[in-house]
Amino acid sequence: MKSVTEISGVPKEDLSSIPASAHPTAEGPAEVAANIKYHAQYTPHFSPLKFEPEQAFYATADSVRDSLIQRWNETYLHFHRENPKQTYYLSMEYLQGRALTNAIGNLGITDAYAAALNKLGHDLENIVEQEPDAALGNGGLGRLASCFLDSMATLNLPAWGYGLRYRYGLFKQSITEKGQQESAENWLEKFSPWEIVRHDVVYPVRFYGKVEVCASGVHKWVDGEQLQALAYDVPIPGYGTNNTISLRLWEAKAPAEDFNLNEFNDGQYENAAHLHSKAQQICAVLYPGDAKEEGKLLRLKQQFFLCSASLQDIIARFKERRVENEPIAWNEFPSKVAVQMNDTHPTLSIPELMRILMDDECLGWDEAWTVTTRTIAYTNHTVLPEALEKWSVALLTKLLPRHMEIIAEINKRFLEMIHSSHPDMENKFNNMCILDDSNPQKPVVRMANLCVVSSHTVNGVAMLHSNILKDELFRDYVSLWPEKFQNKTNGITPRRWLRFCNPELSAIITKWLKTDQWVTNLDLLRGLRQFSDNSELQSEWASAKMANKIRLAQYIFQVTGVKVNPNSLFDIQIKRIHEYKRQLLNILGAIYRYKRLKEMSAEERKKVVPRTIMIGGKAFATYTQAKRIVKLVNDVGAVVNNDPAIGDLLKVVFIPNYNVSVAEILIPGSELSQHISTAGMEASGTSNMKFALNGCLIIGTLDGANVEIREEIGKDNFFLFGAEAHDVPKLRKEREQGLFVPDPRFEEAKNFVKSRAFGDYDYTPLLDSLEGNSGYGRGDYFLVGYDFPSYMEAQSRVDNAYKDTKKWMKMSILSTAGSGKFSSDRTISEYAKAIWKIQECRVP
Ligand code: 26Q
């Protein structure tokens, strides 16, 4: 048989000279090439007769996987021997994106792989694009979890992640005449080279059943149905270290013996595999629609599945690592284990840990409670009432009868404690209790309250957000436990979000700082400040930005067919589509700009700064109002972009199917980005940090992490507008009283839409959300109208600043220079020190 590469696409040299031999720890180009060729031939996923980019990607990934597995084994062994306290990050979401560039970058073998692929007739840049995104998350919360893993590994912390291995990730978005369409994102269609299936790590997980009380008084959860959780480990390499940690993703499967061969042979195929198909449902999709009861039940099953499997695994490890033959010292559990809950989604780990300790390990309530509350901590990511999880008591009782008993007991004991120790707080019961039976027909469990009562630490994700938690949402608890509440301002990994996605700018930074240490010590970026006026740096900075803008323009043309001018101001808003994020404010601003442009004389138009407005993001499939916003952006684009009178002066582009990989193209090419949520509603935001780090200026409200970004980069370098969080309730009230007087420009923009300037689609329900005087979602709850004039005024400041290129470049350099604080390395160090109490455990 011919060797694979001899018959590949366009061989650059005589490929037959490259042996197909295994070099699992290869670091030089020749050995790497041989190892890639080895995988193409001996662990093929396709016919070995082909070596097109896709085949080359899988062979390359398999080769990188060799290096990862080696380090990952060493890390596990090292942690096992050292037995340090370890953190387990529980999250229903991880937005990992692609792994290849990140893996070879973190391992420091990018050049070797680029050279090796060249030898094999391929281009690294082209190969990495073959990889589908792993999108096991929605947005900020999932991406945060992924950035955290990168930092935990890089900081050599004994920590790892637990999640679910969804068969289909976040839906794929396409845009048609009707607006957003969703289709399944089959990221596992081919297979994932980055996971290691662990047939040795399997746990039973029970649903339904009943509670029996033994003669000893011990409760036992029995019967119901049992599935199995099977582990898939994804190695997470740190940057510039051997430490490689695990993201352990659980998959549900039915026990093998549950396949009924007799039924199958009898032709009853569906019955025979009944439990198998039930198991498949659990990890089928991220966020099953929950309009119906079935959807709610499935989501609850997913949450419990994650909690139960992870805790069994954590406890097994705790037992495995104790001194041989010694009894289990449960009081030491919290000095070996820290569990962090990413929002309330893994809350069931609280009653599940209690249940295991009491019912399986025979601890008493008090002892179990001490262990649980010293182990578990909770991060809150939202104050929006509709995003605070509530589960119906009926549903919990049916699916998890023993857990419901335990939750009720936690509630009862909490209320008794208040009654006896803080009788003055009894009037706060309604706010603080875990069980809410204000509607006796449908009592619910408030998961956030359960988390606050049962965690040793509760944190918000930006200073402003943490203060809102303390002053409003959790105010009553603060008087009970002031020490419990902390802030941990979010961060992003500088590896993915600067070093790898923006190599041009990275090289300039390294050159001027005379070190590349900033990649792991982002505060060093501050050193750029002294050069912010330097015209040589400014011109290098400008050319890097231009190169990235050109690349972005090409991408836009490829996915939308719209030609945008790289000399226009690139203005971007990318995030989940939500009314509180106010993409509607952005597009109404664009509509007003368009209308003005049309009314201008040719002479006036000459003074206008050309602008390309890009908006991207997915709307939840059942969120009708958000989908109308997507439709409006696309309709406006269709008119504006084809208006010959406007030309390059304005383009409005909707970027379809926004995801991590798309963000990696958009962010480096951005000049202005919009973070314009109604003040007090965005817990933190993390894309604001990514943009600022890449030298993009921000137009934004005093919300979430914007507040701290503005402080770090300097007030003069931030285009601030809008109401402040503490004014919002008063403004809403004034609105209810009919005191709001809209700005004429706002009326003009809305009327332009009403005039059907952008097509026949009926935008009445969307525009109506900006009218009226009362009620959630009506009466302009998100204050778009109130903030509009101040937004437009800030946009004029943007245009003026952009006319002065030197000034703009200086601001851009200062944005990057001021972004050091927003490294997830800083965030994770703070968690490690103040919440988890864990220390570095570096693999030699
Ligand atoms: C709630 C109830 C029922 C079903 C689903 C949910 C649900 C699901 C996902 C609630 C919230 C989420 C996701 C929230 C999220 O992504 N929050 C973002 O977290 C980021 C990281 O901290 C912050 O930067 C963002 O400000 C915040 O919106």
Side-chain angles (χ1 to χ4, degrees), residues 93 138-145 287 290 299 303 342-345 379-382 384 386-391 460-462 465 490 576 580-581 620 681-689 704-705:
E93 300 190 23
N138 275 293
L141 169 143
R143 184 53 231 175
L144 184 77
Y287 289 106
D290 64 357
R299 169 97 178 138
Q303 294 189 347
N342 198 19
D343 214 291
T344 55
H345 317 153
T379 305
N380 172 285
H381 296 265
T382 182
L384 301 195
E386 75 272 21
L388 292 176
E389 285 191 294
K390 293 187 181 112
W391 286 108
V461 290
H465 167 64
N490 282 167
R576 289 305 296 256
Y580 85 81
K581 294 179 189 278
F620 195 73
M681 301 193 81
E682 187 72 271
S684 162
T686 42
S687 73
N688 42 7
M689 302 168 184

Side-chain angles (χ1 to χ4, degrees), residues 310-327:
S310 306
L311 277 168
Q312 291 181 68
D313 196 40
I314 292 166
I315 288 171
R317 193 165 306 108
F318 173 70
K319 289 182 174 175
E320 193 183 278
R321 288 184 186 173
R322 91 199 125 113
V323 185
E324 230 177 304
N325 299 327
E326 289 211 347

Side-chain angles (χ1 to χ4, degrees), residues 426-438:
E426 289 199 357
N427 59 339
K428 305 274 163 61
F429 266 8
N430 282 348
N431 243 338
M432 298 167 82
C433 58
I434 295 164
L435 288 180
D436 173 8
D437 50 12
S438 53

